[in-house]
């Protein structure tokens, strides 16, 4: 459930293109100063890659938060199911009650169920944590972080 979504091709493509955009002059100047490959990566490349890693982290967090299908496929115990799967089950149960018209009691019950209100309330529950996560990650979405890193 955890490892397969981490190997997303789009995220790898995004990270690779960001790292390829780092000027070669930074590597050369670090090499001239006597830095090893590990030191260049951990002291130079990793701090410059924080924006792309924050972006990919937000994408992965959104993917995990919105995922209900993997929980449906792999989890049998109801207490371990993700919130999104439980919310989907609730909405599908309400829709089933609305569509079944074979009994008079069901028609009475389905007339009193506010299905649109339930959908809107579940939307607020679903989007809430992401709204709280975004301001913490938003500061990394700054264009031109490397401006001034290479003088020439």
């Amino acid at each position: 459930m955890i490892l397969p979504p981490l190997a997303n091709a789009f995220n790898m493509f995004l990270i690779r293109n960001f790292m390829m955009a780092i000027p070669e002059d930074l590597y050369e100047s670090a090499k001239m100063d006597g830095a090893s490959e590990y030191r260049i990566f951990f002291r130079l490349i990793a701090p410059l890659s924080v924006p792309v890693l924050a972006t990919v982290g937000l994408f992965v967090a959104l993917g995990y938060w919105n995922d209900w299908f993997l929980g449906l496929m792999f989890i049998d115990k109801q207490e371990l199911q993700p919130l999104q799967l439980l919310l989907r089950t609730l909405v599908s149960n309400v829709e089933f009650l609305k569509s079944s018209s074979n009994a008079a009691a069901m028609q009475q019950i389905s007339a009193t169920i506010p299905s649109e209100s339930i959908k809107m309330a579940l939307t607020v529950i679903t989007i809430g944590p992401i709204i709280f996560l975004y301001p913490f990650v938003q500061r990394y979405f700054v264009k031109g972080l490397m401006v001034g890193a290479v003088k020439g």
Side-chain angles (χ1 to χ4, degrees):
M1 292 265 311
I2 295 173
L3 292 179
L6 287 178
N8 187 347
F10 176 72
N11 292 342
M12 286 187 228
F13 180 73
L14 195 65
I15 292 171
R16 180 194 175 277
N17 282 344
F18 184 86
M19 289 190 178
M20 294 297 285
I22 296 175
E24 191 68 31
D25 298 340
L26 288 175
Y27 297 108
E28 291 175 8
S29 65
K31 278 286 193 191
M32 287 180 147
D33 289 340
S36 66
E37 294 292 328
Y38 292 111
R39 186 174 189 133
I40 291 172
F41 180 76
F42 288 112
R43 296 289 213 152
L44 190 67
I45 304 305
L48 289 175
S49 300
V50 169
V52 74
L53 295 176
T55 303
V56 168
L58 182 66
F59 289 163
V60 169
L62 276 170
Y64 278 125
W65 181 250
N66 290 329
D67 187 35
W68 58 268
F69 188 70
L70 286 178
L72 179 66
M73 295 286 291
F74 297 127
I75 297 177
D76 294 330
K77 295 181 181 177
Q78 184 153 1
E79 63 268 5
L80 296 178
Q81 290 179 344
L83 177 66
Q84 303 303 330
L85 180 58
L86 296 175
L87 296 177
R88 179 192 167 276
T89 305
L90 180 66
V91 169
S92 65
N93 289 343
V94 168
E95 291 300 320
F96 173 75
L97 285 176
K98 284 284 205 183
S99 67
S100 67
S101 60
N102 52 359
M106 283 292 208
Q107 285 179 350
Q108 234 177 6
I109 291 172
S110 67
T112 61
I113 295 175
S115 63
E116 293 301 316
S117 298
I118 289 174
K119 287 179 186 177
M120 295 306 136
L122 293 178
T123 302
V124 170
I125 290 171
T126 302
I127 203 169
I130 299 303
I131 288 175
F132 291 123
L133 175 69
Y134 185 76
F136 295 110
V137 181
Q138 190 244 350
R139 67 181 171 147
Y140 295 109
F141 299 147
V142 177
K143 193 174 182 182
L145 184 69
M146 288 184 290
V147 172
V150 178
K151 301 201 178 191

